[in-house]
Amino acid sequence: MSSKMRLMAASALCAATLVCASGAQAAGELKIYNWFDYIPQDLLDKFAKEYDVKVTMDTYASNEDLLARLKAGVTGYDVAMPGDYMVAILVQEGLLEKVNAFELSNFKNVREDMLGVYWDPKREYSVPYQWGSTAFMVDSAVYGGDINTWQVIFEPPAELKGKINMLKEVNEVLNAGLRYLGYPRCNDNPEQLKALNDLLLKSKADWLSFNSDGAKEVLVTGDAAAGQIYNGFGKRARDERASLKYAYPKEGYTGWSDNIVVIKGAPNIENAKLFMNFMLEPENAAALTNFAKYSAGVKGVEPFLDKDLVEAPELNPPADAPKAEFVPPCPENVVLMYDKIWTNLLK
């Protein structure tokens, strides 16, 4: 396609949709800051070709890592994919562009349960990316007992001792411990936090590692026989090691929703909005789900999904499982106490 034709196509797109500001051209760059292994390269290539945009991507290991880098003044990125509670924090910290995402032409495809969300009630800053749950997996070839309890992780049977990987994510680990103890989230009760600290330190003796990026690999290789994991990574792990089973602990587990946001001061805001709109296309959202194995936040993806995802246990909790819990960001005083527990745990 010639440069003139590309310009005409971009102008037509801007006129037909609400994703371009007046005079903006669909060309240039898009710099993505994303979680590790969370989008297929061919989908990035499709966007790059469709809009004549050079796409580059760096990765982070946790929501807190993203927050720390942005607060430290890291610049140059256009979009990121923070979790629900982190979107709320980034908005509060003034680290996101208010792009009125609800005006995007493909916003009509967003699922109803992804509207009016606590982290961005009017969807002024974000659109859904992928959503899912965080629990753990167990290799049934190593341990064949009931796995639907956090006791497997915090008071493991002999078969699993020294073979458990935990996510290197403060909220995922601490919230799991709080659920096992029967205590509420965002907890500032000194006695209950002491009990949590004691539980974690005791359990750590039976754990192998803290690893988020390699949470799937350590299970697939058999280096770990159990491990905390996001459900999509769990599905991908089971594809490679059929004996792995995803747990739905009776004490509860975390639900989460990652989102596409535009970082404050993004050098390529219009391309960022184009990318948001692109990912709200059902075919593109399904391509992401087929790769990452999480659930899409838009309607109409079913015709494009791989058949094995329709009934995958990692994406379809049993009827008797508790409902996943979305945890809003905690007050600052709680965050500080959690950080102390976490720092002590990682020593």
Side-chain angles (χ1 to χ4, degrees):
M1 183 183 290
S2 68
S3 298
K4 182 178 180 181
M5 290 178 68
R6 281 196 296 266
L7 179 59
M8 291 173 63
S11 299
L13 177 68
C14 290
T17 71
L18 294 174
V19 298
C20 294
S22 177
Q25 298 180 20
E29 294 184 290
L30 179 72
K31 297 181 179 180
I32 299 173
Y33 201 24
N34 199 355
W35 296 82
F36 170 78
D37 200 22
Y38 203 14
I39 191 168
Q41 184 60 46
D42 56 1
L43 195 56
L44 295 177
D45 293 342
K46 179 181 179 182
F47 175 78
K49 182 178 180 180
E50 192 167 326
Y51 295 110
D52 190 25
V53 171
K54 178 184 176 182
V55 178
T56 57
M57 184 171 69
D58 289 334
T59 62
Y60 51 87
S62 71
N63 280 302
E64 285 66 32
D65 184 25
L66 169 64
L67 175 63
R69 296 207 67 196
L70 293 181
K71 289 185 72 172
V74 171
T75 60
Y77 295 113
D78 299 304
V79 300
M81 285 70 169
D84 47 278
Y85 76 92
M86 187 52 63
V87 174
I89 292 172
L90 293 172
V91 170
Q92 184 178 8
E93 294 283 344
L95 294 171
L96 299 183
E97 291 285 349
K98 185 177 181 180
V99 294
N100 293 333
F102 59 85
E103 295 180 348
L104 297 170
S105 63
N106 285 332
F107 190 80
K108 62 183 182 293
N109 297 327
V110 174
R111 290 167 48 121
E112 283 75 12
D113 57 359
M114 288 293 159
L115 301 173
V117 292
Y118 81 81
W119 56 93
D120 188 7
K122 297 181 181 179
R123 286 292 187 183
E124 297 172 301
Y125 298 89
S126 67
V127 297
Y129 186 67
Q130 294 266 273
W131 63 275
S133 64
T134 311
F136 60 91
M137 298 195 92
V138 175
D139 191 336
S140 61
V142 177
Y143 176 68
D146 176 26
I147 66 170
N148 292 315
T149 170
W150 283 108
Q151 184 175 3
V152 171
I153 298 298
F154 293 106
E155 296 183 68
E159 298 95 319
L160 298 178
K161 288 188 175 183
K163 301 176 182 178
I164 298 172
N165 178 65
M166 299 297 286
L167 292 173
K168 199 171 184 180
E169 271 270 357
V170 53
N171 289 309
E172 298 292 7
V173 175
L174 269 61
N175 284 336
L178 288 167
R179 290 188 180 100
Y180 180 55
L181 292 170
Y183 297 155
R185 263 54 67 204
C186 290
N187 197 319
D188 62 358
N189 182 302
E191 291 184 2
Q192 293 183 357
L193 289 181
K194 182 182 184 304
L196 174 64
N197 183 69
D198 292 345
L199 172 70
L200 295 175
L201 291 177
K202 179 177 179 293
S203 301
K204 181 183 176 182
D206 294 323
W207 295 344
L208 171 69
S209 54
F210 291 91
N211 190 334
S212 293
D213 288 354
K216 175 176 78 75
E217 284 71 20
V218 294
L219 289 168
V220 170
T221 61
D223 291 339
Q228 200 175 23
I229 198 166
Y230 308 112
N231 64 321
F233 262 17
K235 169 63 170 69
R236 294 166 72 180
R238 183 170 60 83
D239 287 343
E240 298 182 49
R241 194 178 186 93
S243 55
L244 292 169
K245 291 186 177 181
Y246 189 73
Y248 288 97
K250 62 184 180 182
E251 301 90 351
Y253 55 97
T254 296
W256 51 264
S257 175
D258 287 339
N259 305 263
I260 307 176
V261 298
V262 181
I263 296 171
K264 191 73 173 180
N268 304 289
I269 291 180
E270 296 307 323
N271 286 341
K273 292 162 72 176
L274 280 174
F275 184 73
M276 279 181 156
N277 204 55
F278 174 84
M279 291 306 303
L280 293 179
E281 285 281 358
E283 185 173 1
N284 297 332
L288 177 59
T289 290
N290 288 337
F291 172 81
K293 313 300 183 186
Y294 300 105
S295 298
V298 303
K299 300 172 288 189
V301 298
E302 290 76 14
F304 307 104
L305 289 179
D306 292 342
K307 292 182 179 179
D308 68 322
L309 291 176
V310 177
E311 297 182 356
E314 295 84 1
L315 277 69
N316 298 279
D320 59 350
K323 188 176 181 179
E325 177 192 14
F326 284 75
V327 182
C330 299
E332 184 63 25
N333 69 308
V334 174
V335 172
L336 292 174
M337 288 186 282
Y338 281 14
D339 285 345
K340 289 181 180 179
I341 294 173
W342 184 243
T343 301
N344 190 39
L345 182 63
L346 294 184
K347 286 181 180 177

